[in-house]
Amino acid sequence: MDILKIEHLSKIYGKGDTEVRALDDVSFTVPKGQFVAIIGPSGSGKSTLLHILGGVDTPTDGHVYVDGTDITTLDETALAIFRRRQIGLIYQFYNLIPILTVEENMTLPLLLDDKKVDRAHFDSLVQVLGLQHRLGHLPSELSGGRALMNNPAILLADEPTGNLDSKNSKEIVELLRQFNKALNQTVIIITHDERIALDADRMIAVEDGKIVKDEVIRQ
Ligand code: ADP
């Protein structure tokens, strides 16, 4: 089953002389459970793509189906709900709220959504993440827990290795891989680092807003 289907996606910023075609007719599908790395030089359109997939930006043209729903047709309210329920967005792992404990951070999206916390699911997630002894701690230690608690259709990670040393970045990618394997969690990670891309199931290379390479590395 394809958890994500992107059809003829384009994004143009500005008009006339200052027009920038950040995405130019991009199409691809991602099956559920795939670990995808999107790679490309600075300015190639990676962040634009990630923001559109995450429902924080809208395309100029094209469609994005997440788990069967075309998110490009949603209004602001529906899009906000979609973001909260279907997307786990990890921006360089900074999206944890520092004054809340790890447990509070993980359950916050559910509480905002007026949902009861499913304890069994929470506990199994905590096990998978190895966070049993850290729930009461502040998230000064890295954790992608909050992004995962909602069972997101897609976990999006933006340059998770951007400003970490290589040992830390390896650990984070391994953690993402663990979520991916244990929960069949679809992961899309944007990276400059070709070594990370080669550890993914699939590598999509973007240049000038176009896909220039799309390679399955492992099934
Ligand atoms: P990457 O993430 O690969 O570095 P971006 O998606 O950030 O690339 O940018 C793609 C292109 O779109 C670049 O030329 C960038 O300058 C341009 N761009 C991105 N965001 C905006 C914006 N808000 N307004 C105008 N141009 C933008």
Side-chain angles (χ1 to χ4, degrees):
M1 187 196 93
D2 289 330
I3 198 77
L4 174 68
K5 184 162 86 171
I6 294 177
E7 287 181 345
H8 304 295
L9 196 64
S10 293
K11 177 73 180 183
I12 297 170
Y13 290 110
K15 278 208 166 76
D17 285 353
T18 60
E19 181 178 297
V20 176
R21 199 170 278 268
L23 290 176
D24 188 3
D25 196 13
V26 169
S27 300
F28 63 93
T29 58
V30 175
K32 181 169 164 55
Q34 196 169 50
F35 191 109
V36 183
I38 295 183
I39 193 161
S42 181
S44 57
K46 303 183 299 297
S47 304
T48 302
L49 178 61
L50 185 100
H51 292 151
I52 293 173
L53 298 188
V56 292
D57 199 354
T58 51
T60 309
D61 260 313
H63 295 276
V64 175
Y65 299 87
V66 177
D67 207 5
T69 300
D70 184 355
I71 64 166
T72 63
T73 62
L74 300 179
D75 63 22
E76 248 327 297
T77 314
L79 206 52
I81 293 170
F82 159 79
R83 280 196 296 270
R84 207 152 66 213
R85 294 193 181 155
Q86 297 283 62
I87 293 294
L89 197 53
I90 299 181
Y91 276 117
Q92 309 194 324
F93 282 75
Y94 290 155
N95 69 339
L96 294 176
I97 298 173
I99 56 165
L100 300 181
T101 63
V102 169
E103 176 164 0
E104 288 163 341
N105 265 291
M106 287 178 74
T107 52
L108 185 65
L110 294 174
L111 300 176
L112 288 174
D113 224 11
D114 259 342
K115 278 202 211 143
K116 232 172 100 63
V117 175
D118 175 344
R119 272 286 138 187
H121 174 61
F122 178 80
D123 290 343
S124 69
L125 205 52
V126 165
Q127 290 289 334
V128 170
L129 302 176
L131 289 172
Q132 300 90 313
H133 307 296
R134 301 206 191 143
L135 288 176
H137 293 197
L138 298 176
S140 41
E141 287 162 287
L142 295 171
S143 149
R146 180 170 162 220
L148 278 168
M149 188 54 201
N150 250 349
N151 264 329
I154 305 172
L155 183 62
L156 298 172
D158 189 12
E159 296 274 8
T161 58
N163 45 12
L164 295 163
D165 64 38
S166 61
K167 182 171 169 289
N168 273 336
S169 56
K170 195 158 175 284
E171 278 172 12
I172 289 170
V173 173
E174 275 167 11
L175 192 64
L176 289 174
R177 193 39 128 168
Q178 232 175 305
F179 302 154
N180 164 251
K181 287 229 172 82
L183 308 171
N184 198 30
Q185 173 67 57
T186 311
V187 176
I188 299 181
I189 161 178
I190 286 188
T191 178
H192 274 107
D193 191 335
E194 183 134 1
R195 285 166 311 171
I196 285 174
L198 288 171
D199 278 337
D201 297 330
R202 173 180 179 189
M203 175 164 68
I204 296 177
V206 204
E207 265 174 44
D208 292 331
K210 292 194 181 73
I211 294 180
V212 292
K213 194 159 74 174
D214 185 350
E215 216 175 290
V216 173
I217 301 166
R218 56 183 65 78
Q219 294 287 350

